[in-house]
Each structure stands twice: as C-alpha cells, then as structure tokens.
Amino acid sequence: MNYYPFDSRNPLYRSKIGALAEGETLRLRLLLHKDAHVHTAFLVLRSDNDNSLQESVMTPAEWLEEYRFYECTLSLKEGLYWYGFRYTSDYGEFSVTKTETSLGIVSSDGAFWQQTVYSGDYKTPDWLGGGIIYQIFPDRFFASGQEKKDIPEDRYICTDWSKQPEYRQPVGEKCRLGNDYYGGDLKGIEQKLDYIKSLGVSCIYLNPIFEAHSNHRYNTADYLKIDPSLGTQQDLCDLIKAAEQRGIGIILDGVFSHTGDDSVYFNKYDRYKSVGAYQSKQSPYYKWFNFTDYPEKYESWWGISTLPETLENEPAFSDFITGENGVIRYWLKKGIKGWRLDVADELPDEFLDKVRIAVKSESEENFLLGEVWEDASNKVSYGVRRRFLRGHQLDSVMNYPFANAIVDFLKDTNSERFINTVLGITENYPPEALKLLMNHIGTHDTARILTRLGSDEDLGGDRERQSRTELSAEQYERAVILLKLAAVLQYTLPGVPSLYYGDEAGMTGYGDPFCRATYPWGYENIKLLEFYKQLGGIRRNCNAFVSGDFIPYVCGEGLVSFMRKCDNSAALIAVNRSNKTAEIEVPYDIRNIKSAFGTEVKNGKITIEPFGFAVLTK
C-alpha cells in the first residue's frame, strides 16, 4: 500500500487534529519509504510574526510496512504558525510540502501547513451552542401598528406592505433608495416571538436599530437612541424580556467603523443641536474623524461620503464605545446578550481588544460575533495579519466560507471541494469559535438564497434589471428543492445555523435592496415553512450538533455524507444532489441510529433518491 508522507487531517500523523491551545503538546509524524534512504528528517517551523525558519530533528520511530515514521513533539505560544518538513538522504535533500488539500508530497513547490494556537483560557458562551440564529431586518419583518413619535418628516412611509423596495434615487423625491420605510418595528418583532420560537430559534440578531437616516441604519446618527420608526428604548426592553421568557437572546449590530454624516457626531446638514465635527474644529467629535481638507474632504467608508470613517483608536471615540459608560456596556445593561460587529476586519486590533473587554465585563456569557467574509484564522486586512480567533477578540464570525461551499456544491456537485472547505475551517479554527460559527446561507448583504440557487442571471449589476427579473415557476420549484438540501447541510455542519427572516417562507430577491423586502405574512410557502420547523426541532434535540466532531463519510459526485459525534450522541447526514439514487451503509458503531428526517434506515442501509437527504440521530 502507498502512503502519503504527511496528512494534517489524519491521526496517523498528528496526535491532535486542528488548532492547539497555548502550551498544549502536539506530536507530528512524517512517513517516508525505505527506498528514500533517509539520513535525517526535520520539522521546519515558521512563526507568522517571524520569517526566519526553525528546524527540529525528527526521531526515527516504528515501521509501517515498508515505510518508517519520523516524529517530534512541539508546544507553542499563542499565535499563527506555518510548518513543513525536509529530509536528507543518499540522493540529496528534499522537502515535503502541502498540496491543495491536507496531503503532503515530496516537493518544494507546495505550501506549508497552518497551525493555529489560541489562548488557553479562550472560552465562548454556552447558551448559543446547538441553537439557531434568526436574523431580522427590523423595518421589514412585522409592523405592530403602534403609533410612533418624532419620526423625521423627510422619511417616505410606504403604506403598501407588499411593494417592492425602492431601488432608484430620483433627485428631490422622498421615495428613494434607502429612504422607504414600511413600519416594521420592535413591537412587531415582540408580537411574532411565538412564531420565531416555533422555528427552534434561540438567538435573534437584529440589523441596526439605533437612530439613523436610512432604512438600513448602517449610517448611525445616535448610538444611544433607538430609531423612532422602530419604537422606544422601552420597546427594546420589553422585547428583550419577552424573548428571554422564551429562551431567546437578542444581539445587536454594532457599526463602529463609521457613522453617518447626518448624525449627532458629524452633523453635516445641521439636523442636530450638537456641534458636529463637520461644523467646527472645536467640536468634541472633531478628533473622531480624519479630515484631509476641512470640512469637505474626509476619509469615508469605501469612499462613500455619507459614511465618514471613525478613528477607532482615538481615545475619546474608543472610550465612548468601549469605556465603562460606553455604548457597548450601556446596551448590555439593558439585557441584550451580545453584539455583532459590522466589518470587523476593518476595526483595528487594539479597538477589538477593548470591545471584548467591554462585552465580557458585563458577563462571560455575552456573545461577540464579527463580520469576516474569509477564513478568519489567517485573514490579512490593511497589511496586518489578524488575530480574531485566538481568545482575546471575537467569540466567532459569520461563516461565509461554509455558505459559499454549500451553494457551490449544489450548483456544481463537487463534493470533494465542499468537504475540503469544511475540513479547512474545522482544522484552522479553535473549537470554541467553531461551535459558534454563524452558519448563514443568506443575509441582508446577499441575494436571497432561493434566487441564488434558482437564477441563471447575474446576481449583481444593474438594479433596474434586477427589479424586473423574477424566477420562473420552474426555477422556483427547483430552487426550493435545492434550498432544502442547503438547509440540511447548514443546520448540521459545525456551528450555529442562521436563518435570514423570510427564507423559511420562500422569499426571493436579488441583492440590496431586493433581498430586504417585507416578510410575506399570509403568503408563505407553507410546505417550506413546515420543513424548516421540523429541521429546527431535530437540531435542538440532538447533542451531537452542539459540538460534535465533524467526520466525513461517503462522498461522490453530487453526494455528501458525514457524521457528527460526541460522547453521548451521534448523527449521520447525507445529501444527494445528483440525478442518481445513492445507497449508504450505516457504520456499525452507530447501527442503532434512527431516521429523524428524510430517508429511513432499512437493513442497515439508507437509500437516497435523487435530490433527497437523510438525517439520522441517536
């Protein structure tokens, strides 16, 4: 039998797979054929903070058929490391490097393997593990009809709940992109808590709710005031209390990399009585922003002038957000269970360190989630390698790699690439972060998942075209079939599934603003909705989905199956995206497992029809 020199995902070569705690001992083993006539084998290690290579001699160990192991142990401080191997022989010197997967080959052209080392006291909240997140764009979920006070007169109030969100920006018109409000509010969310609970939800993530002059509210006007269109601070407190009674925690969206130009802090349009940074260099907020030619030119988020960037490490701003009496603790004291940080990869490390201290000072069970679109364990932003997931910053992140992997698999049936993506994340992320990954397949920043799965059109580009484009009946039906497969994967992979409001009801729509339409109360896809309720119940009742190991099983073209296992629970999941029937034998060690959803077990096997699935639990 032929063996690879190394495989970072195989316990034959590593005493522990994945990220390590600081000070934890790891044994690495290299496997080389006798015909290589090895003299000496070396581990080659590089700290990400230091380009110099360190080498350790590997000790010859036992034989495996005609191959011999060479091994060494190491214990590392918190940080990010890269490693490979080399050996000398009768034939010269050779390197062992990484292929596109986890496998090693004798070549100097490959990459090094990544080793994440996290703080030994890295601990994330327990209340969310095994749960489900429900993301709500507040203006579009449900309108209570409660009378509001102090709503600015320049807002367009839409009275037709089913109207398509405005995508145009006519000059001088109130009804324009970002300025159409449908009346969804905090009281409306409270009134629908029983519905949300029926989905198995344990956490509601609210897009921004602070006063701001656009319906998305990512242009904050006042961090300490609820937007009047959504209600009052008391309405938020009532929602928190009512949700808590149902076992649901509320997390808020923290937008700290920029404010709005129409805000208490910048006050470009004289809306507020405050002296804003735009109005005077004597403003208490002047140092929060970087003016290049005062007052008209200033650094703004992605060059959008309505979103002046903040200097997060400026002491006054940093204290305002993270201090003892700052924004983060102010709202935590009202009862929220945590924060989602907008564009976390654009916030400096020093600021993130302070955010974590502020969040955890109120309770270790408070949750801190970051928006990062790539692999957060090795992300580089603004020329700096980030340390989001090593124990001193974020609890976890939004899991875009999984979302993209799920969609790609359902579109191109490449199961090997899907499994490799999932294993890459499970290998790179600390287990505490892994168990709380926000596993979404659609958010306010992406096209609706049904549209993404069903459309042959470009998902971006011209908004006029997007406004006129809808899925055909055939496309919609096919997309629903694929969505069920996507949801099965999303709800059973490591992490916490996040359901974007209305996806469970069959909503469609291209990108912003079409992905932010109103929830279709009374016009839901009932069969799809019942599917999500059943899937949510299964997830909440199986301990393997809390932090069980991810173990790939049988995979092939269009077929993915894997197990989740912990001490007292197990699950076997299979998804067949192909046009052919697939048959899988249930592993002997979990032979008493039972079908929870989808295909039944017969004679120790499951037969999965084309575009079918199976979820087995015990």
Side-chain angles (χ1 to χ4, degrees):
M1 182 175 180
N2 292 321
Y3 294 93
Y4 284 91
F6 187 74
D7 182 356
S8 62
R9 299 170 188 163
N10 189 332
L12 189 67
Y13 303 89
R14 287 181 57 110
S15 58
K16 180 183 177 181
I17 309 300
L20 299 175
E22 184 174 25
E24 188 174 9
T25 299
L26 172 68
R27 183 183 68 168
L28 295 174
R29 303 209 298 176
L30 186 66
L31 188 60
L32 299 171
H33 196 274
K34 67 176 184 178
D35 291 344
H37 297 287
V38 175
H39 297 165
T40 309
F42 302 87
L43 168 70
V44 183
L45 180 71
R46 176 175 65 84
S47 168
D48 198 61
N49 295 325
D50 184 356
N51 287 325
S52 63
L53 299 177
Q54 298 179 4
E55 292 192 344
S56 300
V57 175
M58 305 185 76
T59 303
E62 75 270 20
W63 288 82
L64 177 64
E65 299 173 6
E66 296 184 323
Y67 295 80
R68 190 169 195 179
F69 284 109
Y70 297 81
E71 62 182 40
C72 67
T73 59
L74 69 162
S75 179
L76 300 169
K77 295 181 179 180
E78 177 197 324
L80 189 66
Y81 298 85
W82 307 92
Y83 69 94
F85 306 92
R86 76 174 183 92
Y87 65 90
T88 57
S89 71
D90 288 351
Y91 309 109
E93 180 179 312
F94 299 89
S95 296
V96 176
T97 54
K98 180 180 177 294
T99 63
E100 291 182 354
T101 65
S102 62
L103 299 174
I105 56 172
V106 178
S107 172
S108 59
D109 295 331
F112 272 21
W113 287 267
Q114 176 180 323
Q115 183 59 62
T116 306
V117 182
Y118 57 93
S119 173
D121 60 359
Y122 191 7
K123 181 73 171 63
T124 56
D126 292 325
W127 65 273
L128 192 54
I132 297 170
I133 297 170
Y134 194 70
Q135 181 189 349
I136 296 177
F137 194 82
D139 182 60
R140 308 292 166 80
F141 184 60
F142 187 68
S144 68
Q146 175 180 272
E147 185 179 353
K148 308 297 193 308
K149 297 180 180 180
D150 302 322
I151 295 179
E153 294 182 356
D154 54 354
R155 297 185 180 185
Y156 176 79
I157 310 301
C158 183
T159 57
D160 180 0
W161 184 256
S162 62
K163 180 182 179 294
Q164 183 183 73
E166 184 54 62
Y167 61 92
R168 294 161 294 195
Q169 293 181 302
V171 177
E173 294 290 333
K174 287 174 68 174
C175 184
R176 61 183 185 273
L177 176 67
N179 196 49
D180 52 336
Y181 295 79
Y182 286 72
D185 55 8
L186 298 176
K187 276 298 178 188
I189 297 170
E190 182 182 347
Q191 291 171 7
K192 292 295 184 180
L193 281 175
D194 287 337
Y195 164 75
I196 295 171
K197 183 63 179 177
S198 74
L199 297 168
V201 169
S202 54
C203 174
I204 295 174
Y205 153 45
L206 297 177
N207 285 114
I209 63 172
F210 305 131
E211 181 171 300
H213 302 292
S214 65
N215 54 41
H216 57 74
R217 299 185 178 88
Y218 281 92
N219 53 341
T220 312
D222 191 336
Y223 287 107
L224 297 175
K225 184 179 178 183
I226 302 296
D227 191 278
S229 292
L230 296 178
T232 65
Q233 186 173 124
Q234 186 58 52
D235 291 338
L236 176 63
C237 293
D238 291 344
L239 172 60
I240 291 169
K241 184 177 180 180
E244 190 175 59
Q245 291 170 349
R246 293 165 174 81
I248 299 173
I250 306 287
I251 65 172
L252 300 183
D253 215 333
V255 187
F256 304 132
S257 74
H258 51 271
T259 70
D261 62 346
D262 193 358
S263 67
V264 170
Y265 318 107
F266 207 76
N267 209 12
K268 188 173 183 178
Y269 309 105
D270 298 314
R271 184 188 295 266
Y272 295 95
K273 294 180 180 179
S274 63
V275 179
Y278 181 85
Q279 297 165 307
S280 171
K281 291 184 179 182
Q282 305 307 312
S283 166
Y285 310 114
Y286 173 73
K287 291 184 178 180
W288 289 18
F289 306 96
N290 185 23
F291 290 91
T292 55
D293 186 6
Y294 187 82
E296 295 298 335
K297 293 184 179 180
Y298 45 87
E299 290 188 0
S300 57
W301 187 77
W302 287 69
I304 302 171
S305 62
T306 57
L307 302 175
E309 281 193 345
T310 58
L311 298 171
E312 295 92 348
N313 285 334
E314 198 283 318
F317 178 79
S318 180
D319 187 64
F320 176 72
I321 300 297
T322 69
E324 284 192 27
N325 299 310
V327 171
I328 287 175
R329 300 188 201 202
Y330 179 85
W331 294 107
L332 287 169
K333 285 180 169 68
K334 302 300 179 186
I336 66 168
K337 293 285 286 184
W339 289 89
R340 177 260 190 191
L341 297 181
D342 185 55
V343 293
D345 56 352
E346 299 184 24
L347 300 173
D349 280 326
E350 298 83 358
F351 182 75
L352 286 178
D353 293 342
K354 292 178 180 178
V355 170
R356 183 175 184 84
I357 291 171
V359 169
K360 299 300 180 178
S361 66
E362 295 300 318
S363 171
E364 287 294 326
E365 283 296 292
N366 287 333
F367 182 42
L368 183 58
L369 176 75
E371 179 192 15
V372 181
W373 286 56
E374 301 83 12
D375 183 332
S377 70
N378 55 36
K379 166 79 175 180
V380 174
S381 58
Y382 299 94
V384 177
R385 181 83 71 181
R386 306 309 299 271
R387 47 184 174 85
F388 300 126
L389 301 180
R390 298 190 208 157
H392 303 296
Q393 292 185 350
L394 305 175
D395 285 325
S396 200
V397 291
M398 299 176 71
N399 196 356
Y400 280 93
F402 277 15
N404 294 331
I406 290 171
V407 172
D408 289 346
F409 166 66
L410 294 176
K411 289 218 164 192
D412 65 20
T413 72
N414 189 327
S415 58
E416 182 179 354
R417 184 170 63 188
F418 171 81
I419 290 294
N420 193 56
T421 298
V422 175
L423 286 174
I425 294 297
T426 62
E427 190 174 10
N428 289 350
Y429 285 27
E432 288 291 322
L434 190 66
K435 73 179 185 181
L436 296 186
L437 282 171
M438 179 181 168
N439 287 346
H440 61 84
I441 53 175
T443 73
H444 63 290
D445 284 327
T446 65
R448 285 280 176 177
I449 183 60
L450 275 176
T451 298
R452 197 172 174 189
L453 292 172
S455 177
D456 298 322
E457 300 280 339
D458 178 8
L459 296 177
D462 180 46
R463 284 192 171 112
E464 177 66 37
R465 175 188 58 79
Q466 293 180 49
S467 73
R468 293 183 278 101
T469 307
E470 295 182 359
L471 298 181
S472 67
E474 183 180 351
Q475 286 176 319
Y476 181 83
E477 183 178 350
R478 179 177 174 81
V480 168
I481 292 171
L482 293 178
L483 175 55
K484 290 179 179 179
L485 302 184
V488 168
L489 294 172
Q490 176 196 12
Y491 273 53
T492 57
L493 287 169
V496 179
S498 178
L499 183 56
Y500 184 43
Y501 80 100
D503 280 350
E504 76 279 13
M507 288 180 66
T508 60
Y510 286 85
D512 168 21
F514 309 107
C515 57
R516 304 172 182 181
T518 54
Y519 185 102
W521 299 106
Y523 298 93
E524 300 93 334
N525 182 326
I526 298 301
K527 291 183 178 179
L528 184 59
L529 181 56
E530 290 303 316
F531 171 90
Y532 268 98
K533 288 182 179 181
Q534 188 173 354
L535 189 56
I538 291 166
R539 175 177 173 79
R540 296 303 304 271
N541 291 316
C542 180
N543 288 335
F545 296 132
V546 178
S547 56
D549 292 335
F550 174 82
I551 305 168
Y553 190 43
V554 178
C555 295
E557 184 177 352
L559 175 68
V560 162
S561 68
F562 54 89
M563 290 179 281
R564 299 291 307 279
K565 296 176 74 174
C566 59
D567 292 339
N568 60 351
S569 182
L572 173 62
I573 297 92
V575 167
N576 184 10
R577 165 61 179 81
S578 75
N579 294 313
K580 300 176 182 178
T581 299
E583 187 176 82
I584 297 176
E585 187 168 339
V586 177
Y588 182 79
D589 62 335
I590 57 171
R591 188 58 61 90
N592 62 341
I593 202 166
K594 295 181 180 179
S595 176
F597 201 20
T599 302
E600 298 284 341
V601 180
K602 293 183 180 180
N603 300 319
K605 297 179 179 180
I606 48 176
T607 301
I608 310 167
E609 299 297 325
F611 298 94
F613 62 89
V615 180
L616 283 59
T617 61
K618 75 167 205 175

